Amino acid sequence: MLVTGVITWQFLAICLTDSLQSILGNSNLVARTVFPRIILPLSTAVGNLVNFLLSLLILLGYAVVLKAGGLAPVHFHSIWLLPVVVLTQFALCLGLSLILSALNVFFRDTEHMLSVGLLAWFFLTPVIYYLQVIPQEYQRLAFLNPMTGIVTAYRTAILGTEIMAPQLVTMSFCIAWFLCAAGVALFQKVQAKFVDEF
């Protein structure tokens, strides 16, 4: 369970960290050529997705070994959820990458704020603890964090753990897709001003 949460979190954290320099680090290219700037953060997110999928294959192999050896109560009856969860997390990572890459052009302290924000976000997400540790009256609030629903869904898909509240996981997924749409909209709106900030 811990490994599932950590691998999932690492995908998000690396994606967001790498996205910071996707525009600023390619300022010469952005200033001198005309092309869809969204390609830069998108390529970063896709590259990290490929690395994540390879890690996920290893994790699935490990889960198969645990099940075959009877070492853990692993079930694959919800494995069909996996593509949906991966796509949703990719949408979240892309949306936030677009927002951060654009913000870093205008506010160079974004990198420092991100490191603090990621640390706080990590402890607000049930990566190293069970969701049941959160008092029941606050569990609905926990799912306003899209990563709570995503981590929960990964554990259901890979390990077969039961989803406590499917409607709350769906709410987390909707927030993730909203952030993706918001990231695309913001990036398209401000990209014309990038060159002025270099």
Side-chain angles (χ1 to χ4, degrees):
M1 187 188 87
L2 176 62
V3 176
T4 307
V6 169
I7 289 176
T8 303
W9 180 262
Q10 283 299 314
F11 175 36
L12 173 78
I14 293 171
C15 237
L16 299 190
T17 304
D18 288 352
S19 71
L20 283 172
Q21 296 300 320
S22 60
I23 300 296
L24 208 54
N26 295 291
S27 56
N28 289 335
L29 183 64
V30 172
R32 294 179 183 177
T33 57
V34 178
F35 67 98
R37 270 82 172 176
I38 199 170
I39 289 174
L40 296 172
L42 176 61
S43 63
T44 300
V46 170
N48 283 308
L49 174 64
V50 171
N51 289 335
F52 173 66
L53 290 175
L54 293 174
S55 300
L56 208 55
L57 280 175
I58 294 169
L59 179 61
L60 284 169
Y62 179 62
V64 168
V65 169
L66 288 178
K67 181 176 176 60
L71 302 172
V74 176
H75 305 285
F76 296 114
H77 51 77
S78 297
I79 195 71
W80 60 270
L81 266 175
L82 196 55
V84 178
V85 187
V86 170
L87 190 59
T88 301
Q89 187 179 11
F90 177 73
L92 175 66
C93 290
L94 177 60
L96 293 177
S97 293
L98 290 170
I99 292 169
L100 289 170
S101 63
L103 283 178
N104 199 41
V105 173
F106 301 102
F107 308 103
R108 304 299 164 89
D109 289 336
T110 304
E111 182 177 356
H112 306 296
M113 294 176 1
L114 176 64
S115 60
V116 174
L118 278 175
L119 182 62
W121 195 2
F122 175 79
F123 288 109
L124 290 172
T125 303
V127 173
I128 57 174
Y129 57 87
Y130 288 97
L131 186 62
Q132 291 87 338
V133 169
I134 302 172
Q136 192 168 3
E137 61 270 23
Y138 297 116
Q139 284 181 5
R140 182 175 294 273
L141 288 175
F143 280 94
L144 290 174
N145 168 7
M147 281 302 291
T148 297
I150 288 169
V151 169
T152 301
Y154 272 118
R155 287 176 176 152
T156 297
I158 297 171
L159 304 175
T161 58
E162 185 180 352
I163 291 183
M164 294 167 46
Q167 69 276 14
L168 294 180
V169 171
T170 303
M171 179 180 73
S172 284
F173 278 29
C174 289
I175 293 170
W177 283 100
F178 170 78
L179 288 170
C180 180
V184 172
L186 175 70
F187 192 90
Q188 298 287 15
K189 184 176 181 179
V190 302
Q191 66 175 337
K193 301 176 184 177
F194 287 164
V195 177
D196 300 333
E197 299 294 324
F198 296 150

